[in-house]
Amino acid sequence: MSFQSLLPASGGALDRFFARLLGGLVWASLALMGLVFLASLLVWLAVMVVVSLVSSLLTGRPAAMTLLWRRYREMARQRWPQRPAASTTPRADAAEATGASAPTTVQDVAWRDVPAEDDARR
C-alpha cells in the first residue's frame, strides 16, 4: 500500500515529499523492528549456549553443542546424502524412468565414484 494513495491527487510537491518521507519512515521502522527481533534471537541463542555449557560442567553430561557436533561428524563420515550403489549413465536413467528399457545394469565407468585410498584399504 502506498501512502501517496491516501493523499489527495491534487497535492503539491510538498505533499508528495511528505508522503515519501512518511513511507520511508514506516519502512525504516519495520526494518529496525526486524533487526531488533534478530538481535534478540541471537542473544537468546548465546544465553542457551552458556546455560548448556554450565549445566554440562555441573552434571558431567556432554553439552548440547557437543552432541550436535558429534551427530554432524557422524553424518559427515557417512557421506550423506548417499548416492545409489551402481551409478548408471544419464541415458540409462532416463530409459529406466520411462520404462523403455529392459532391466539391465548399464554402467558408465566415467560416472562411477572412485573410492579414496583409505576407503580401499578397509
PDB file of all heavy atoms in Angstrom, residues 1 11 13 17-19 26 28 34-35 43 54 57 65 68 72 74 78 81 84 88 97 111 113 116 118 120:
ATOM      1  N   MET A   1       0.845  -1.174   0.000  1.00  0.00           N
ATOM      2  CA  MET A   1       0.000   0.000   0.000  1.00  0.00           C
ATOM      3  C   MET A   1       0.891   1.238   0.000  1.00  0.00           C
ATOM      4  O   MET A   1       1.844   1.334   0.754  1.00  0.00           O
ATOM      5  CB  MET A   1      -0.891  -0.024   1.235  1.00  0.00           C
ATOM      6  CG  MET A   1      -1.792   1.151   1.345  1.00  0.00           C
ATOM      7  SD  MET A   1      -2.889   0.919   2.752  1.00  0.00           S
ATOM      8  CE  MET A   1      -3.321   2.564   3.050  1.00  0.00           C
ATOM      9  N   GLY A  11      -2.469  17.187  -4.681  1.00  0.00           N
ATOM     10  CA  GLY A  11      -1.455  17.698  -3.762  1.00  0.00           C
ATOM     11  C   GLY A  11      -0.241  18.203  -4.505  1.00  0.00           C
ATOM     12  O   GLY A  11       0.085  17.782  -5.607  1.00  0.00           O
ATOM     13  N   ALA A  13       4.001  19.488  -4.554  1.00  0.00           N
ATOM     14  CA  ALA A  13       5.288  18.816  -4.397  1.00  0.00           C
ATOM     15  C   ALA A  13       5.602  18.578  -2.928  1.00  0.00           C
ATOM     16  O   ALA A  13       6.196  17.567  -2.566  1.00  0.00           O
ATOM     17  CB  ALA A  13       6.387  19.642  -5.053  1.00  0.00           C
ATOM     18  N   PHE A  17       6.414  15.019  -1.159  1.00  0.00           N
ATOM     19  CA  PHE A  17       7.640  14.849  -0.381  1.00  0.00           C
ATOM     20  C   PHE A  17       7.330  14.251   0.988  1.00  0.00           C
ATOM     21  O   PHE A  17       7.991  13.306   1.434  1.00  0.00           O
ATOM     22  CB  PHE A  17       8.362  16.195  -0.230  1.00  0.00           C
ATOM     23  CG  PHE A  17       9.492  16.143   0.753  1.00  0.00           C
ATOM     24  CD1 PHE A  17      10.688  15.516   0.417  1.00  0.00           C
ATOM     25  CD2 PHE A  17       9.350  16.701   2.015  1.00  0.00           C
ATOM     26  CE1 PHE A  17      11.730  15.463   1.338  1.00  0.00           C
ATOM     27  CE2 PHE A  17      10.381  16.646   2.932  1.00  0.00           C
ATOM     28  CZ  PHE A  17      11.576  16.018   2.593  1.00  0.00           C
ATOM     29  N   PHE A  18       6.310  14.792   1.665  1.00  0.00           N
ATOM     30  CA  PHE A  18       5.964  14.265   2.986  1.00  0.00           C
ATOM     31  C   PHE A  18       5.404  12.850   2.899  1.00  0.00           C
ATOM     32  O   PHE A  18       5.622  12.039   3.805  1.00  0.00           O
ATOM     33  CB  PHE A  18       4.986  15.199   3.705  1.00  0.00           C
ATOM     34  CG  PHE A  18       5.657  16.403   4.299  1.00  0.00           C
ATOM     35  CD1 PHE A  18       5.280  17.677   3.921  1.00  0.00           C
ATOM     36  CD2 PHE A  18       6.674  16.261   5.231  1.00  0.00           C
ATOM     37  CE1 PHE A  18       5.912  18.789   4.457  1.00  0.00           C
ATOM     38  CE2 PHE A  18       7.302  17.357   5.780  1.00  0.00           C
ATOM     39  CZ  PHE A  18       6.924  18.636   5.390  1.00  0.00           C
ATOM     40  N   ALA A  19       4.709  12.547   1.849  1.00  0.00           N
ATOM     41  CA  ALA A  19       4.207  11.185   1.666  1.00  0.00           C
ATOM     42  C   ALA A  19       5.368  10.209   1.481  1.00  0.00           C
ATOM     43  O   ALA A  19       5.381   9.119   2.074  1.00  0.00           O
ATOM     44  CB  ALA A  19       3.271  11.126   0.468  1.00  0.00           C
ATOM     45  N   VAL A  26       8.171   4.583   7.678  1.00  0.00           N
ATOM     46  CA  VAL A  26       7.468   3.339   8.001  1.00  0.00           C
ATOM     47  C   VAL A  26       8.346   2.149   7.642  1.00  0.00           C
ATOM     48  O   VAL A  26       8.500   1.206   8.441  1.00  0.00           O
ATOM     49  CB  VAL A  26       6.106   3.280   7.282  1.00  0.00           C
ATOM     50  CG1 VAL A  26       5.514   1.882   7.349  1.00  0.00           C
ATOM     51  CG2 VAL A  26       5.147   4.284   7.891  1.00  0.00           C
ATOM     52  N   ALA A  28      11.594   2.081   7.335  1.00  0.00           N
ATOM     53  CA  ALA A  28      12.763   2.070   8.217  1.00  0.00           C
ATOM     54  C   ALA A  28      12.397   1.510   9.587  1.00  0.00           C
ATOM     55  O   ALA A  28      13.168   0.742  10.176  1.00  0.00           O
ATOM     56  CB  ALA A  28      13.337   3.479   8.344  1.00  0.00           C
ATOM     57  N   GLY A  34      12.670  -5.614  12.635  1.00  0.00           N
ATOM     58  CA  GLY A  34      13.226  -6.894  12.217  1.00  0.00           C
ATOM     59  C   GLY A  34      14.627  -7.107  12.756  1.00  0.00           C
ATOM     60  O   GLY A  34      14.974  -8.212  13.198  1.00  0.00           O
ATOM     61  N   LEU A  35      15.437  -6.064  12.739  1.00  0.00           N
ATOM     62  CA  LEU A  35      16.794  -6.171  13.275  1.00  0.00           C
ATOM     63  C   LEU A  35      16.791  -6.390  14.786  1.00  0.00           C
ATOM     64  O   LEU A  35      17.598  -7.170  15.306  1.00  0.00           O
ATOM     65  CB  LEU A  35      17.597  -4.920  12.928  1.00  0.00           C
ATOM     66  CG  LEU A  35      17.989  -4.775  11.455  1.00  0.00           C
ATOM     67  CD1 LEU A  35      18.674  -3.433  11.221  1.00  0.00           C
ATOM     68  CD2 LEU A  35      18.887  -5.915  11.029  1.00  0.00           C
ATOM     69  N   VAL A  43      20.805 -13.150  20.947  1.00  0.00           N
ATOM     70  CA  VAL A  43      21.102 -13.075  22.377  1.00  0.00           C
ATOM     71  C   VAL A  43      20.543 -14.311  23.083  1.00  0.00           C
ATOM     72  O   VAL A  43      21.206 -14.921  23.923  1.00  0.00           O
ATOM     73  CB  VAL A  43      20.539 -11.771  22.985  1.00  0.00           C
ATOM     74  CG1 VAL A  43      20.534 -11.818  24.499  1.00  0.00           C
ATOM     75  CG2 VAL A  43      21.341 -10.588  22.486  1.00  0.00           C
ATOM     76  N   VAL A  54      27.387 -24.541  31.060  1.00  0.00           N
ATOM     77  CA  VAL A  54      27.468 -24.554  32.520  1.00  0.00           C
ATOM     78  C   VAL A  54      26.803 -25.804  33.086  1.00  0.00           C
ATOM     79  O   VAL A  54      27.338 -26.456  33.991  1.00  0.00           O
ATOM     80  CB  VAL A  54      26.840 -23.266  33.103  1.00  0.00           C
ATOM     81  CG1 VAL A  54      26.675 -23.364  34.618  1.00  0.00           C
ATOM     82  CG2 VAL A  54      27.695 -22.063  32.743  1.00  0.00           C
ATOM     83  N   LEU A  57      29.020 -28.762  32.790  1.00  0.00           N
ATOM     84  CA  LEU A  57      30.080 -28.793  33.801  1.00  0.00           C
ATOM     85  C   LEU A  57      29.553 -29.301  35.139  1.00  0.00           C
ATOM     86  O   LEU A  57      30.248 -30.019  35.867  1.00  0.00           O
ATOM     87  CB  LEU A  57      30.682 -27.404  33.975  1.00  0.00           C
ATOM     88  CG  LEU A  57      31.520 -26.881  32.812  1.00  0.00           C
ATOM     89  CD1 LEU A  57      31.945 -25.443  33.072  1.00  0.00           C
ATOM     90  CD2 LEU A  57      32.729 -27.761  32.582  1.00  0.00           C
ATOM     91  N   MET A  65      25.805 -28.680  22.397  1.00  0.00           N
ATOM     92  CA  MET A  65      26.642 -28.426  21.214  1.00  0.00           C
ATOM     93  C   MET A  65      27.556 -29.602  20.928  1.00  0.00           C
ATOM     94  O   MET A  65      27.834 -29.918  19.783  1.00  0.00           O
ATOM     95  CB  MET A  65      27.483 -27.159  21.392  1.00  0.00           C
ATOM     96  CG  MET A  65      26.719 -25.869  21.265  1.00  0.00           C
ATOM     97  SD  MET A  65      25.677 -25.499  22.668  1.00  0.00           S
ATOM     98  CE  MET A  65      26.777 -25.635  24.041  1.00  0.00           C
ATOM     99  N   LEU A  68      25.426 -32.225  19.249  1.00  0.00           N
ATOM    100  CA  LEU A  68      25.130 -31.830  17.868  1.00  0.00           C
ATOM    101  C   LEU A  68      26.369 -31.978  16.983  1.00  0.00           C
ATOM    102  O   LEU A  68      26.278 -32.415  15.835  1.00  0.00           O
ATOM    103  CB  LEU A  68      24.615 -30.389  17.836  1.00  0.00           C
ATOM    104  CG  LEU A  68      23.216 -30.177  18.386  1.00  0.00           C
ATOM    105  CD1 LEU A  68      22.914 -28.691  18.466  1.00  0.00           C
ATOM    106  CD2 LEU A  68      22.193 -30.878  17.528  1.00  0.00           C
ATOM    107  N   TYR A  72      26.758 -34.386  13.751  1.00  0.00           N
ATOM    108  CA  TYR A  72      27.165 -33.844  12.455  1.00  0.00           C
ATOM    109  C   TYR A  72      28.364 -34.607  11.906  1.00  0.00           C
ATOM    110  O   TYR A  72      28.405 -34.955  10.723  1.00  0.00           O
ATOM    111  CB  TYR A  72      27.494 -32.362  12.594  1.00  0.00           C
ATOM    112  CG  TYR A  72      28.181 -31.798  11.372  1.00  0.00           C
ATOM    113  CD1 TYR A  72      27.466 -31.537  10.218  1.00  0.00           C
ATOM    114  CD2 TYR A  72      29.557 -31.565  11.376  1.00  0.00           C
ATOM    115  CE1 TYR A  72      28.098 -31.041   9.096  1.00  0.00           C
ATOM    116  CE2 TYR A  72      30.200 -31.073  10.257  1.00  0.00           C
ATOM    117  CZ  TYR A  72      29.465 -30.812   9.121  1.00  0.00           C
ATOM    118  OH  TYR A  72      30.083 -30.341   8.013  1.00  0.00           O
ATOM    119  N   GLU A  74      29.291 -37.641  12.595  1.00  0.00           N
ATOM    120  CA  GLU A  74      28.867 -38.994  12.230  1.00  0.00           C
ATOM    121  C   GLU A  74      28.179 -38.997  10.870  1.00  0.00           C
ATOM    122  O   GLU A  74      28.455 -39.856  10.028  1.00  0.00           O
ATOM    123  CB  GLU A  74      27.903 -39.517  13.304  1.00  0.00           C
ATOM    124  CG  GLU A  74      27.359 -40.885  13.028  1.00  0.00           C
ATOM    125  CD  GLU A  74      26.325 -41.279  14.072  1.00  0.00           C
ATOM    126  OE1 GLU A  74      26.499 -40.915  15.245  1.00  0.00           O
ATOM    127  OE2 GLU A  74      25.354 -41.945  13.693  1.00  0.00           O
ATOM    128  N   GLN A  78      29.527 -40.580   7.057  1.00  0.00           N
ATOM    129  CA  GLN A  78      28.724 -41.477   6.233  1.00  0.00           C
ATOM    130  C   GLN A  78      28.507 -40.914   4.831  1.00  0.00           C
ATOM    131  O   GLN A  78      27.843 -41.515   4.012  1.00  0.00           O
ATOM    132  CB  GLN A  78      27.367 -41.728   6.892  1.00  0.00           C
ATOM    133  CG  GLN A  78      27.472 -42.494   8.179  1.00  0.00           C
ATOM    134  CD  GLN A  78      26.134 -42.593   8.873  1.00  0.00           C
ATOM    135  OE1 GLN A  78      25.124 -42.059   8.407  1.00  0.00           O
ATOM    136  NE2 GLN A  78      26.121 -43.269  10.001  1.00  0.00           N
ATOM    137  N   PRO A  81      24.222 -36.902   1.461  1.00  0.00           N
ATOM    138  CA  PRO A  81      23.290 -37.973   1.143  1.00  0.00           C
ATOM    139  C   PRO A  81      23.968 -39.066   0.324  1.00  0.00           C
ATOM    140  O   PRO A  81      24.838 -38.776  -0.490  1.00  0.00           O
ATOM    141  CB  PRO A  81      22.194 -37.289   0.347  1.00  0.00           C
ATOM    142  CG  PRO A  81      22.863 -36.118  -0.281  1.00  0.00           C
ATOM    143  CD  PRO A  81      23.951 -35.686   0.682  1.00  0.00           C
ATOM    144  N   PRO A  84      23.275 -43.696  -5.140  1.00  0.00           N
ATOM    145  CA  PRO A  84      22.921 -45.095  -5.421  1.00  0.00           C
ATOM    146  C   PRO A  84      24.176 -45.946  -5.579  1.00  0.00           C
ATOM    147  O   PRO A  84      25.231 -45.454  -5.965  1.00  0.00           O
ATOM    148  CB  PRO A  84      22.144 -45.031  -6.731  1.00  0.00           C
ATOM    149  CG  PRO A  84      21.783 -43.604  -6.926  1.00  0.00           C
ATOM    150  CD  PRO A  84      22.717 -42.777  -6.109  1.00  0.00           C
ATOM    151  N   THR A  88      24.527 -45.245 -12.929  1.00  0.00           N
ATOM    152  CA  THR A  88      24.240 -45.527 -14.335  1.00  0.00           C
ATOM    153  C   THR A  88      24.402 -44.263 -15.154  1.00  0.00           C
ATOM    154  O   THR A  88      24.501 -43.163 -14.626  1.00  0.00           O
ATOM    155  CB  THR A  88      22.815 -46.063 -14.495  1.00  0.00           C
ATOM    156  OG1 THR A  88      21.923 -45.101 -13.941  1.00  0.00           O
ATOM    157  CG2 THR A  88      22.649 -47.383 -13.764  1.00  0.00           C
ATOM    158  N   ALA A  97      13.393 -44.626 -16.173  1.00  0.00           N
ATOM    159  CA  ALA A  97      12.278 -43.830 -15.669  1.00  0.00           C
ATOM    160  C   ALA A  97      11.051 -43.959 -16.553  1.00  0.00           C
ATOM    161  O   ALA A  97       9.925 -43.940 -16.068  1.00  0.00           O
ATOM    162  CB  ALA A  97      12.699 -42.371 -15.555  1.00  0.00           C
ATOM    163  N   TRP A 111      31.257 -42.333 -14.752  1.00  0.00           N
ATOM    164  CA  TRP A 111      30.314 -41.826 -13.775  1.00  0.00           C
ATOM    165  C   TRP A 111      30.445 -42.511 -12.426  1.00  0.00           C
ATOM    166  O   TRP A 111      29.781 -42.164 -11.484  1.00  0.00           O
ATOM    167  CB  TRP A 111      28.881 -41.988 -14.279  1.00  0.00           C
ATOM    168  CG  TRP A 111      28.539 -40.970 -15.293  1.00  0.00           C
ATOM    169  CD1 TRP A 111      28.910 -40.951 -16.594  1.00  0.00           C
ATOM    170  CD2 TRP A 111      27.777 -39.793 -15.093  1.00  0.00           C
ATOM    171  NE1 TRP A 111      28.422 -39.852 -17.230  1.00  0.00           N
ATOM    172  CE2 TRP A 111      27.710 -39.127 -16.324  1.00  0.00           C
ATOM    173  CE3 TRP A 111      27.136 -39.240 -13.994  1.00  0.00           C
ATOM    174  CZ2 TRP A 111      27.039 -37.932 -16.476  1.00  0.00           C
ATOM    175  CZ3 TRP A 111      26.446 -38.057 -14.158  1.00  0.00           C
ATOM    176  CH2 TRP A 111      26.409 -37.405 -15.393  1.00  0.00           C
ATOM    177  N   ASP A 113      31.926 -43.592  -8.776  1.00  0.00           N
ATOM    178  CA  ASP A 113      32.722 -42.967  -7.725  1.00  0.00           C
ATOM    179  C   ASP A 113      33.937 -43.830  -7.464  1.00  0.00           C
ATOM    180  O   ASP A 113      33.819 -45.033  -7.242  1.00  0.00           O
ATOM    181  CB  ASP A 113      31.923 -42.839  -6.423  1.00  0.00           C
ATOM    182  CG  ASP A 113      30.833 -41.805  -6.546  1.00  0.00           C
ATOM    183  OD1 ASP A 113      31.011 -40.880  -7.355  1.00  0.00           O
ATOM    184  OD2 ASP A 113      29.819 -41.929  -5.847  1.00  0.00           O
ATOM    185  N   ALA A 116      38.383 -43.436  -2.141  1.00  0.00           N
ATOM    186  CA  ALA A 116      39.658 -42.863  -1.720  1.00  0.00           C
ATOM    187  C   ALA A 116      40.583 -43.985  -1.273  1.00  0.00           C
ATOM    188  O   ALA A 116      40.162 -45.108  -1.026  1.00  0.00           O
ATOM    189  CB  ALA A 116      39.421 -41.864  -0.603  1.00  0.00           C
ATOM    190  N   ASP A 118      42.115 -44.497   1.543  1.00  0.00           N
ATOM    191  CA  ASP A 118      41.844 -45.050   2.882  1.00  0.00           C
ATOM    192  C   ASP A 118      40.600 -45.919   2.876  1.00  0.00           C
ATOM    193  O   ASP A 118      40.508 -46.866   3.641  1.00  0.00           O
ATOM    194  CB  ASP A 118      41.714 -43.928   3.901  1.00  0.00           C
ATOM    195  CG  ASP A 118      40.607 -42.956   3.553  1.00  0.00           C
ATOM    196  OD1 ASP A 118      40.203 -42.915   2.387  1.00  0.00           O
ATOM    197  OD2 ASP A 118      40.149 -42.237   4.469  1.00  0.00           O
ATOM    198  N   ALA A 120      39.745 -47.817   0.280  1.00  0.00           N
ATOM    199  CA  ALA A 120      40.088 -49.039  -0.446  1.00  0.00           C
ATOM    200  C   ALA A 120      40.833 -50.017   0.451  1.00  0.00           C
ATOM    201  O   ALA A 120      40.813 -51.226   0.215  1.00  0.00           O
ATOM    202  CB  ALA A 120      40.942 -48.685  -1.675  1.00  0.00           C
TER     203      ALA A 120
END
